[in-house]
Amino acid sequence: MKIRSITFKVPEPELKIIKSVTVYISEKHSEIIIAPISKEPKGSYNYEQENCEVIDLNSASEVIGEAIKRNFNKFDIKEKKGGMGKKSDWPALKASKEKSGRSFEEKYRRISIRGITDRNSSLRIETVMNLTSEIELTTTISAHCEPSELGNRILKIFRSEITERK
């Protein structure tokens, strides 16, 4: 009796994707810039996509939540030619009313929204204030929540104050 040789092919590992989007809010300009993110597959870094959405800060929370969900779902895996680029090439800076990276960082507060797992069923919303006290605010919410709930959560975390006392 002959035994046939069985060849097993190791399956390709599935790429686990944790989506993200970055939100920039400016009270001075009364606007919200929503920057969808792409992941560079070879360099393993994330970068902002070219087309950012700009909405009014005084928009209804439902409109804010819908815009965030729409841009969260634009997450893509795409090669970026030219690497990380310069700060002046930053898509959110180009979409803003600021002329320099420094003034942009002073006038816009950044909020990062990421899936907690590769299922992206829960979202981690986190401030990115870069304070020397190393304190950031973080909250979680279901990705299946109503857009108005997401918009309200973003506005709450934006309006909460963490400052350093001298």
Side-chain angles (χ1 to χ4, degrees):
M1 170 182 217
K2 270 187 164 177
I3 299 177
R4 294 168 84 186
S5 174
I6 301 175
T7 310
F8 289 102
K9 183 178 179 186
V10 178
E12 291 285 325
E14 281 187 42
L15 188 59
K16 298 193 185 280
I17 301 169
I18 296 178
K19 296 179 180 182
S20 62
V21 66
T22 304
V23 177
Y24 299 92
I25 304 176
S26 171
E27 273 185 319
K28 181 182 188 292
H29 299 300
S30 187
E31 69 181 9
I32 300 173
I33 300 171
I34 305 164
I37 302 295
S38 287
K39 180 175 182 63
E40 215 295 329
K42 294 177 183 166
S44 296
Y45 60 86
N46 293 343
Y47 62 92
E48 291 179 3
Q49 295 177 17
E50 284 301 312
N51 298 321
C52 298
E53 186 172 344
V54 181
I55 59 175
D56 191 276
L57 178 58
N58 298 318
S59 298
S61 56
E62 184 173 3
V63 172
I64 295 169
E66 286 171 351
I68 290 170
K69 283 186 173 196
R70 182 173 45 254
N71 284 283
F72 183 78
N73 289 322
K74 288 180 182 176
F75 184 89
D76 197 10
I77 297 176
K78 193 171 12 177
E79 275 190 52
K80 182 173 184 184
K81 294 173 178 54
M84 295 289 287
K86 299 178 288 188
K87 200 176 250 188
S88 61
D89 297 333
W90 201 354
L93 171 61
K94 288 179 180 178
S96 76
K97 295 179 174 140
E98 293 301 319
K99 302 291 183 229
S100 71
R102 184 178 191 153
S103 64
F104 177 80
E105 289 177 336
E106 288 173 4
K107 297 194 176 84
Y108 285 82
R109 301 259 310 268
R110 184 168 62 159
I111 297 174
S112 171
I113 303 170
R114 298 176 44 89
I116 292 177
T117 67
D118 60 331
R119 293 186 181 211
N120 297 295
S121 57
S122 294
L123 305 176
R124 175 181 293 126
I125 302 168
E126 187 172 40
T127 60
V128 185
M129 293 185 274
N130 298 320
L131 298 174
T132 55
S133 64
E134 298 176 6
I135 294 176
E136 302 291 347
L137 297 177
T138 303
T139 184
T140 58
I141 193 168
S142 170
H144 308 292
C145 68
E146 292 296 318
S148 59
E149 290 178 68
L150 179 58
N152 281 330
R153 188 72 60 95
I154 293 297
L155 293 173
K156 280 182 184 178
I157 204 165
F158 170 70
R159 292 193 173 112
S160 57
E161 289 294 322
I162 293 199
T163 57
E164 293 193 73
R165 301 188 195 282
K166 294 181 180 177

